Amino acid sequence: MKKPFVTKEQVENIVKDFPTPFYLYDEKGLVDNAKAVYDAFSWNKGFKEYFAVKATPNPVLMDILKGIGCGFDCSSQTELMLSEAVGACGADIMFSSNDTPEEEFVYADKLGAIINLDDFTHIDFLEETIGKIPETISCRYNPGGVFKMSNGIMDNPGDSKYGMTKDQLFEAFKVLKSKGAKNFGIHAFLASNTVTNEYYPILAGQLFELAVELQKETECKIAFINLSGGVGIPYLPDQEGNDIKAIGEGVKEQFEKILVPAGMGDLAIFTEMGRFMMGPYGALVTKAIHEKHIYKEYIGVDACAVNLMRPAMYGAYHHITVLGKENAPCDHVYDVTGSLCENNDKFAIDRKLPEIEMGDYLFIHDTGAHGFSMGYNYNGKLKCAELLLKEDGSVKLIRRAETARDYFATFDCLDIADKLDHIMESERN
């Protein structure tokens, strides 16, 4: 059974200063987990976790991870800016993007980031854009077909828009070397949100064999293998989570079996985990404000898909705890909904929960990654605040809630901006 990292009493104190809905992040859980990742890969001298900024782009959380040794995986200019703002530069940043605009390559190069090329045609594009090929460069590999493990087909890389074919990869390394590249990396992402200790070791084995073949044929120095993300979390309450220690040992086994005999034991291992690093250590806290009794039983809360769109977009499951009723019987069946003019604006469908009364606080689990970051403003809804539950039990505001002024800010090019300012001023008074 999933347990919230905050109590009803704590939330009742928090809402005195910060009304629901809000995101709440658990600093202790985040720090302990990041340290466990580094411990699991401590056998590899060059290991580095590049936190996927897209998962939770908050500079306070990024700074915490940076203090533990993490770098940042960026896919856009604004993510690069956030990374620079928290003091990251050079090899602390991995820039993995696709369909990349010129200005983003220019900015990544200015920061000295490791650039991970998604496509063979990007070689000439990058050289024309920044006037050179960096000495350290990475290429993204897509093996095509389907990716299988013992528990079946995990994903279908052949349908993915990312990465190069094997032939393109070999040719890319030769071309890049001829243009001055000296240190090479291989990057691959073949399956998403895997809840199995097999994924990284199997992927690593395939990439290690590829690296040996590549270095032998092209005489390019393979400096690192980036296993990217894909290590998931158990969203379901009866699901067993990944054991990062076992995963690290599995990768080590492949490393010693394949790379060490090939004289490539100095190769660094990189990861780019977002969901595993942050997912369980964030929650969306919302309040029950309406109940509806028609053909089904509905509970309306003050959050909506604007705050967390995964259930609406993917039908994703997020466990819900009614704070203060953790031990009460789940003898009621509800759809838990938001207020958007869309019928898929539901956090839960036919969910067994304790009886919910108006004013109860609901703790929506595992929203620390791809939660706030996927928010939007449909129906003119505003994004909520982000809060950090610090290790000493205090709470820190790390992103204020949006206001109507934020929503209307990009109308400053129109005459109506003054009228909107007047309306907002009237509402405040």
Side-chain angles (χ1 to χ4, degrees):
M1 181 58 65
K2 288 182 177 288
K3 294 182 178 179
F5 54 77
V6 69
T7 65
K8 177 186 177 182
E9 291 71 27
Q10 284 176 294
V11 167
E12 287 174 337
N13 280 326
I14 293 170
V15 298
K16 292 174 183 176
D17 297 312
F18 308 107
T20 54
F22 53 75
Y23 270 83
L24 186 64
Y25 301 97
D26 176 18
E27 182 180 36
K28 185 179 188 309
L30 169 62
V31 168
D32 289 349
N33 185 58
K35 288 178 178 177
V37 168
Y38 269 87
D39 181 62
F41 287 90
S42 59
W43 54 268
N44 183 260
K45 186 177 179 182
F47 174 75
K48 196 170 190 69
E49 156 61 21
Y50 288 85
F51 173 67
V53 177
K54 65 180 73 68
T56 321
N58 187 292
V60 174
L61 302 175
M62 291 168 64
D63 194 54
I64 291 171
L65 290 172
K66 181 173 175 288
I68 298 167
C70 295
F72 301 110
D73 160 41
C74 299
S75 59
S76 69
Q77 186 156 341
T78 46
E79 289 179 357
L80 288 167
M81 288 175 176
L82 271 175
S83 300
E84 182 182 17
V86 299
C89 63
D92 286 336
I93 301 173
M94 181 76 62
F95 184 57
S96 296
S97 66
N98 68 96
D99 194 19
T100 312
E102 291 181 5
E103 61 270 19
E104 298 194 356
F105 274 140
V106 169
Y107 190 50
D109 178 62
K110 186 187 85 169
L111 295 179
I114 299 173
I115 293 174
N116 181 39
L117 294 176
D118 180 68
D119 186 65
F120 183 82
T121 64
H122 291 183
I123 297 173
D124 287 343
F125 184 82
L126 177 66
E127 185 177 34
E128 291 167 8
T129 299
I130 67 173
K132 64 181 179 183
I133 290 296
E135 288 193 359
T136 297
I137 194 86
S138 177
C139 291
R140 185 166 183 167
Y141 170 57
N142 183 334
V146 296
F147 183 73
K148 297 180 180 180
M149 297 195 302
S150 62
N151 52 352
I153 294 174
M154 299 301 293
D155 221 321
N156 189 351
D159 281 345
S160 168
K161 69 174 181 175
Y162 306 109
M164 306 182 194
T165 68
K166 185 175 180 179
D167 288 345
Q168 287 175 334
L169 189 68
F170 275 70
E171 185 62 23
F173 272 44
K174 292 174 184 176
V175 172
L176 288 165
K177 183 181 179 183
S178 73
K179 293 177 179 293
K182 296 180 180 178
N183 301 299
F184 295 80
I186 307 170
H187 174 288
F189 177 89
L190 303 187
S192 180
N193 194 38
T194 61
V195 189
T196 166
N197 297 333
E198 290 183 71
Y199 172 60
Y200 258 5
I202 291 174
L203 172 63
Q206 292 183 11
L207 294 183
F208 293 166
E209 288 174 353
L210 177 66
V212 172
E213 191 180 347
L214 261 172
Q215 184 159 299
K216 183 178 180 181
E217 182 172 319
T218 66
E219 297 184 345
C220 293
K221 169 63 178 174
I222 312 296
F224 61 86
I225 298 286
N226 189 333
L227 300 176
S228 188
V231 178
I233 60 174
Y235 286 100
L236 300 171
D238 56 352
Q239 206 173 11
E240 187 175 344
N242 286 317
D243 180 345
I244 196 64
K245 190 72 173 177
I247 290 171
E249 285 300 314
V251 174
K252 180 183 180 184
E253 202 173 295
Q254 295 295 322
F255 189 94
E256 292 178 342
K257 183 174 77 172
I258 299 168
L259 292 178
V260 172
M264 298 172 67
D266 60 342
L267 187 147
I269 302 298
F270 296 160
T271 57
E272 290 177 349
M273 295 182 285
R275 198 187 312 262
F276 184 82
M277 296 297 291
M278 193 77 73
Y281 312 108
L284 176 60
V285 180
T286 182
K287 184 169 69 172
I289 58 173
H290 287 291
E291 54 187 327
K292 186 170 185 175
H293 317 285
I294 47 171
Y295 307 106
K296 302 177 77 170
E297 294 295 302
Y298 294 93
I299 294 294
V301 296
D302 59 4
C304 63
V306 160
N307 308 109
L308 176 66
M309 75 182 299
R310 294 188 74 253
M313 186 174 185
Y314 305 122
Y317 180 96
H318 281 270
H319 197 64
I320 296 175
T321 295
V322 183
L323 294 176
K325 298 181 179 179
E326 289 84 350
N327 299 315
C330 295
D331 52 5
H332 286 62
V333 178
Y334 298 111
D335 280 15
V336 180
T337 77
S339 60
L340 292 187
C341 298
E342 295 289 341
N343 196 43
N344 66 351
D345 181 21
K346 297 178 179 180
F347 296 113
I349 298 173
D350 296 330
R351 186 75 60 86
K352 290 183 177 180
L353 292 164
E355 182 178 10
I356 297 176
E357 300 167 276
M358 297 304 92
D360 279 349
Y361 294 106
L362 278 61
F363 180 101
I364 303 179
H365 292 256
D366 301 318
T367 64
H370 310 290
F372 184 95
S373 64
M374 293 178 72
Y376 56 111
N377 289 112
Y378 183 58
N379 279 177
K381 294 290 185 177
L382 305 174
K383 295 177 188 175
C384 63
E386 291 183 296
L387 310 176
L388 179 66
L389 177 66
K390 295 182 67 64
E391 294 198 46
D392 63 7
S394 63
V395 172
K396 177 182 179 180
L397 178 68
I398 60 173
R399 189 195 302 257
R400 65 165 174 80
E402 283 186 334
T403 66
R405 189 172 298 279
D406 298 316
Y407 182 74
F408 295 134
T410 49
F411 292 136
D412 60 1
C413 58
L414 302 175
D415 293 339
I416 201 171
D418 291 338
K419 186 175 288 187
L420 287 167
D421 278 341
H422 178 72
I423 290 170
M424 288 184 288
E425 197 64 39
S426 298
E427 284 298 304
R428 275 200 297 270
N429 296 331

